[in-house]
Amino acid sequence: MAEQLEIKKPVEVFPGVWRITLGSPEEFTPHSVLPHNSKEEAIAELPACSDCPVDPALIHGELTSRGYLVSLPLAKEVQVYGLGLQLLSFNQRGKKKTLRINSDPVADTGDSHAPVPFYVTSSGYGVFFDTLRYMTIYCGGANRRSSAAPIEEGSQATVSGSEELYASRTRGGQEVIAEIPRAQGVDVYIFAGPTMRLAVQRYNLYSGGGCLPPLWGLGVWYRCKSDYTHDAVLARAQSFREQKMPCDVIGLEPGWQTKTYSNSHVWSERFPDPAYTSSELAKLGYRLNLWTHAFTNPVSPLHDKLKDESGDFLVWGGLVPDFASAGTRTKFASFFEENHVDKGVSGYKLDECDGSDFIGSPWSFPEFSKFPSKLDGELMHSAFGGLFQQTIQSIFEARNQRTYGEVRASHAFSAPNPYVFYSDLYDHTSFIRGVVTAGFNGLLWSPEVRHADSAEDLIRRVQAVMFSPQATINAWYIQNPPWEQWLTDENNAGRLNDERAWVTEVVREMLQLRMSFLPYLYAAYVDYWKTGLPPFRALAMDYPDDKNLWHCDLQFMMGDRVLVAPVVAGQQSREVYLSAGSWRDFWTNKKYEGGQSYSLVAPLDRILLFVKDDCLLPLAGRAQHTGDPALWDLTVKVYGSGSQGITLYEDDGTTFNYLRGEQNRVQLRWAGDQIDLSRNGSYEGPKYRVAKVGHVDRRERSLRFIEDVPLNEALY
């Protein structure tokens, strides 16, 4: 029989963050297993909230024979977002989700690479459940028999079609109900807004603030075919420079190791001198990234060191390290540093830390596994990706060296981790939605490019990934770059496509466009680090009262003034909703009034981009990589009045010296006929230079370039 438990008084742990303890929480939770350093001062700088935005009297906890049940109120018109990286849905109002780590969601059930037990509402507050369990949450989709809520007029009427039928069936209750299996209690955290955007910022700052990647991490990435050798890698890297294809990171896939499933973590004969490989790449302006996973093969030198510090089940014959143990993390990190990072490796792709249940050969360790740290398999599945990231991050932090990588799984408090999620799934629409949903939970997602079904499909995929947290071309199973042949079998047979010349040119310009946005994008990541504001986010986060955005899941903001509306193959046009205010087409400079939808033609060589009117947009020169001096030569586009200036940041882009104040804050303003540039800081390295200004007149769509523009530069 259910037992009603006493609700304790909320405790304000930080300004605008309240903890409510229900029942007896478990020992192992995100707070105890995934430690984080909350940014208290930054949280305090957000708008103050004197009272908890959810009435504690309306939050109920209940111990049942199945576990622990929590209910919170949910007003009728309030929308629900978040619950981690969700590829198959956006607005969670009325849905049931089971938050479980899994790499292959086949339905909109909640399975995800990063199922975070945090949701945020359109009324401006967020809720976090401090649990690593596979909790099930009903977001207004369950109706109690005892509910006093009146039946809506007409809800019992006969329906005339499937659309009306499904609408009537999904009318939900006015509460969120979360069931946490096997638990006897839970700490619930309430994050105040008062807007949805501020609630997300508060959660990210509580997690430790957003990550600030190295500048090179925001450039273009290319992952080579798995069986590439040292010579093949260097040849590919050299070819990109000769072809003027921008690229900053070369990634090596499984073939760099002697054993891959499970891993030896040891270099294969394909790379007899890895330090030489990385140094030769560095001469060309590249960083080296390694694919890996944690499951440790018996031939690995790490195996004996970890055999007493791993779980009681194997994966692919390899040990599962108990990363919940600090000692295990230290041993693992020390081996990786000595054998990889000391040889010039700049980062990792952390694969297979999720697991898969819905494929022909399901894999990973079972939920009933046991680990020396006393975590069971279920808890470890939830924590494994985050702990893996922390293990690797410790190497680079100790070396005062920033990294950026890819990862397949995580959980709560992920914002500080410099890792981007990716997937083996290949539905382009879902990949775009991932960029949007990730922003609600301190996550970053890349709709990486692999092969494609056609030239059109390839170009559309390249366009989308260039406007995402990581611009990755993943060619791990094709011999030649996909723009030379996008069909896998033909590519590997060496039969290049007859249309490759013009496709390559279109792709080159899109890669170049990514590089031009780097000063702006880097500034957006600095804001993420300082204020918790996601660099990529849903429009609903900025305009929560606009009902037209409640289900707007395939367009997003990049930074504070660029709206991205990707196009998928088969679309000659698409509907784009522009939020309140005035906007400019990035390509044509045409002005659009916001608050309405437009059906817009999408030329194959262009992604739909819009810039807020009356602002400045700085674009870098044609740099081939982030070490190219052209990156610091700015063309500043001035839209309309140009009244919205912009702040850029300068630092070395590679170390943590910015934490010691070694950075510059660069402000650009339009004075009507000239750019005013002011610089505040102590960084003495490369600096931005305004090389050209293009002004878009209010009355005209044409861009008037002002050569040798008068520049008022004040150094402080």
Side-chain angles (χ1 to χ4, degrees):
M1 184 174 180
E3 176 186 351
Q4 190 71 31
L5 298 178
E6 179 183 359
I7 299 176
K8 297 182 180 180
K9 183 179 179 180
V11 176
E12 189 171 15
V13 293
F14 289 113
V17 182
W18 286 268
R19 182 182 67 240
I20 301 172
T21 299
L22 302 173
S24 301
E26 292 189 278
E27 177 183 0
F28 300 115
T29 71
H31 272 88
S32 63
V33 177
L34 300 170
H36 57 284
N37 297 311
S38 299
K39 287 191 169 183
E40 183 174 4
E41 292 184 4
I43 293 173
E45 291 177 2
L46 297 178
C49 296
S50 57
D51 297 315
C52 182
V54 182
D55 184 351
L58 300 179
I59 301 176
H60 303 290
E62 185 178 339
L63 183 62
T64 75
S65 59
R66 294 164 52 91
Y68 202 79
L69 207 63
V70 181
S71 65
L72 299 97
L74 185 67
K76 181 179 178 181
E77 290 295 314
V78 174
Q79 308 304 302
V80 179
Y81 303 93
L83 302 181
L85 177 67
Q86 297 293 331
L87 298 179
L88 301 177
S89 62
F90 173 64
N91 189 332
Q92 308 304 331
R93 175 79 200 219
K95 292 183 177 292
K96 170 190 174 182
K97 292 291 179 76
T98 297
L99 303 185
R100 188 175 67 130
I101 292 282
N102 188 21
S103 69
D104 298 286
V106 295
D108 188 21
T109 57
D111 292 274
S112 169
H113 297 282
V116 182
F118 172 82
Y119 70 86
V120 63
T121 69
S122 58
S123 61
Y125 65 87
V127 177
F128 173 72
F129 301 90
D130 189 27
T131 181
L132 292 168
R133 293 292 178 193
Y134 296 165
M135 64 177 289
T136 298
I137 185 166
Y138 297 79
C139 303
N143 293 275
R144 294 182 189 271
R145 186 178 67 176
S146 59
S147 174
I151 298 176
E152 297 181 23
E153 183 179 352
S155 65
Q156 303 301 309
T158 301
V159 295
S160 58
S162 60
E163 185 174 338
E164 187 178 342
L165 170 65
Y166 296 142
S168 69
R169 285 169 53 182
T170 56
R171 291 188 180 98
Q174 295 185 29
E175 61 180 328
V176 170
I177 303 175
E179 184 181 41
I180 305 170
R182 290 171 292 283
Q184 298 185 31
V186 66
D187 284 323
V188 178
Y189 289 75
I190 309 296
F191 293 83
T195 65
M196 178 160 57
R197 171 171 155 166
L198 284 167
V200 170
Q201 287 181 251
R202 213 177 295 269
Y203 168 76
N204 286 339
L205 291 172
Y206 184 82
S207 301
C211 69
L212 180 56
L215 185 59
W216 54 260
L218 299 180
V220 177
W221 294 50
Y222 187 88
R223 307 204 68 87
C224 298
K225 192 170 185 287
S226 186
D227 61 1
Y228 264 29
T229 62
H230 164 88
D231 289 341
V233 168
L234 265 292
R236 179 62 60 213
Q238 183 64 49
S239 73
F240 288 162
R241 293 291 179 251
E242 293 171 354
Q243 298 165 11
K244 305 296 183 184
M245 299 294 287
C247 188
D248 262 276
V249 180
I250 291 291
L252 303 185
E253 288 294 302
W256 73 268
Q257 295 190 47
T258 58
K259 299 288 184 180
T260 55
Y261 284 88
S262 50
N263 274 189
S264 65
H265 313 300
V266 175
W267 296 89
S268 73
E269 61 184 11
R270 293 186 176 96
F271 297 92
D273 189 347
Y276 178 65
T277 300
S278 62
S279 66
E280 289 299 293
L281 287 172
K283 292 176 183 177
L284 294 171
Y286 292 98
R287 307 282 173 157
L288 182 61
N289 181 279
L290 297 183
W291 172 97
T292 194
H293 64 68
F295 309 126
T296 304
N297 191 281
V299 305
S300 171
L302 260 175
H303 188 273
D304 287 347
K305 298 178 182 180
L306 299 178
K307 64 182 180 181
D308 295 327
E309 299 182 34
S310 299
D312 59 344
F313 280 81
L314 304 176
V315 176
W316 298 310
L319 298 174
V320 182
D322 186 356
F323 285 139
S325 163
T328 304
R329 295 197 300 270
T330 297
K331 291 177 182 178
F332 200 94
S334 296
F335 183 87
F336 270 48
E337 180 170 24
E338 179 181 352
N339 291 277
H340 309 154
V341 181
D342 281 350
K343 300 182 186 303
V345 171
S346 295
Y348 293 89
K349 174 182 177 179
L350 306 180
D351 203 358
E352 319 292 25
C353 49
D354 40 14
S356 183
D357 294 317
F358 303 130
I359 60 174
S361 301
W363 61 269
S364 203
F365 51 90
E367 276 74 6
F368 48 80
S369 299
K370 298 176 183 178
F371 289 85
S373 62
K374 306 304 182 184
L375 269 68
D376 62 34
E378 178 183 359
L379 299 175
M380 184 60 80
H381 269 297
S382 295
F384 197 70
L387 292 171
F388 196 6
Q389 293 169 73
Q390 288 187 7
T391 301
I392 300 301
Q393 181 68 358
S394 68
I395 302 171
F396 294 97
E397 289 181 350
R399 299 168 69 96
N400 190 28
Q401 180 180 341
R402 276 187 267 172
T403 188
Y404 202 44
E406 298 163 277
V407 71
R408 276 278 288 270
S410 199
H411 198 263
F413 309 145
S414 293
N417 298 334
Y419 286 88
V420 180
F421 294 87
Y422 67 99
S423 176
D424 287 329
L425 303 179
Y426 213 58
D427 177 75
H428 196 193
T429 300
S430 297
F431 271 26
I432 294 169
R433 185 179 296 111
V435 177
V436 186
T437 64
F440 291 113
N441 294 93
L443 307 171
L444 301 169
W445 168 262
S446 172
E448 64 173 25
V449 177
R450 299 192 182 192
H451 65 278
D453 295 327
S454 64
E456 178 192 14
D457 188 28
L458 174 70
I459 290 169
R460 293 310 192 190
R461 289 179 182 275
V462 170
Q463 289 170 350
V465 79
M466 290 303 118
F467 287 87
S468 80
Q470 190 177 81
T472 300
I473 310 295
N474 187 359
W476 81 270
Y477 52 71
I478 52 177
Q479 185 69 33
N480 302 288
W483 48 84
E484 294 183 355
Q485 174 56 268
W486 35 95
L487 302 178
T488 303
D489 291 343
E490 296 290 297
N491 188 308
N492 289 326
R495 293 188 288 269
L496 305 185
N497 197 284
D498 292 340
E499 298 181 303
R500 65 184 181 277
W502 72 265
V503 173
T504 298
E505 183 58 31
V506 172
V507 170
R508 180 187 293 111
E509 289 306 306
M510 291 309 303
L511 271 57
Q512 194 65 67
L513 186 63
R514 168 71 175 204
M515 299 301 292
S516 71
F517 270 91
L518 287 196
Y520 170 78
L521 186 55
Y522 190 69
Y525 272 90
V526 173
D527 287 344
Y528 187 36
W529 166 67
K530 294 173 70 172
T531 73
L533 181 63
F536 295 85
R537 59 187 182 273
L539 273 71
M541 196 182 296
D542 286 13
Y543 305 92
D545 296 328
D546 189 340
K547 294 183 179 181
N548 294 296
L549 297 173
W550 285 0
H551 300 278
C552 185
D553 60 344
L554 298 178
Q555 58 185 72
F556 50 87
M557 293 297 297
M558 183 178 80
D560 66 351
R561 60 194 64 192
V562 176
L563 187 154
V564 185
V567 181
V568 300
Q571 289 183 320
Q572 283 70 50
S573 64
R574 64 157 289 179
E575 291 290 317
V576 178
Y577 184 83
L578 299 177
S579 307
S582 298
W583 297 82
R584 297 279 188 161
D585 184 305
F586 174 80
W587 304 101
T588 68
N589 303 312
K590 181 178 179 180
K591 186 176 180 179
Y592 293 89
E593 293 303 325
Q596 56 188 305
S597 292
Y598 296 89
S599 181
L600 299 174
V601 174
L604 182 56
D605 61 344
R606 295 179 180 178
I607 186 173
L608 295 177
L609 297 176
F610 300 87
V611 184
K612 285 184 179 179
D613 201 15
D614 298 328
C615 77
L616 306 185
L617 179 65
L619 300 171
R622 295 184 68 85
Q624 295 303 298
H625 54 87
T626 52
D628 190 331
L631 192 74
W632 301 92
D633 291 337
L634 301 179
T635 292
V636 182
K637 292 185 72 172
V638 182
Y639 294 91
S641 68
S643 58
Q644 299 177 48
I646 192 167
T647 301
L648 302 179
Y649 294 89
E650 300 165 339
D651 67 4
D652 62 26
T654 60
T655 73
F656 293 96
N657 291 349
Y658 65 90
L659 296 173
R660 300 197 292 266
E662 294 182 23
Q663 63 171 324
N664 295 330
R665 188 170 183 265
V666 182
Q667 293 183 299
L668 300 178
R669 297 184 180 88
W670 177 243
D673 60 354
Q674 67 178 16
I675 290 288
D676 286 346
L677 183 152
S678 63
R679 180 177 283 110
N680 186 356
S682 60
Y683 174 63
E684 295 297 336
K687 294 180 173 60
Y688 290 120
R689 180 181 74 90
V690 178
K692 185 186 292 187
V693 173
H695 183 245
V696 182
D697 190 271
R698 277 184 176 277
R699 299 174 298 279
E700 301 177 5
R701 290 165 55 178
S702 61
L703 185 67
R704 178 171 60 92
F705 279 107
I706 306 172
E707 303 288 352
D708 300 322
V709 63
L711 176 63
N712 179 21
E713 183 171 347
L715 300 179
Y716 297 99

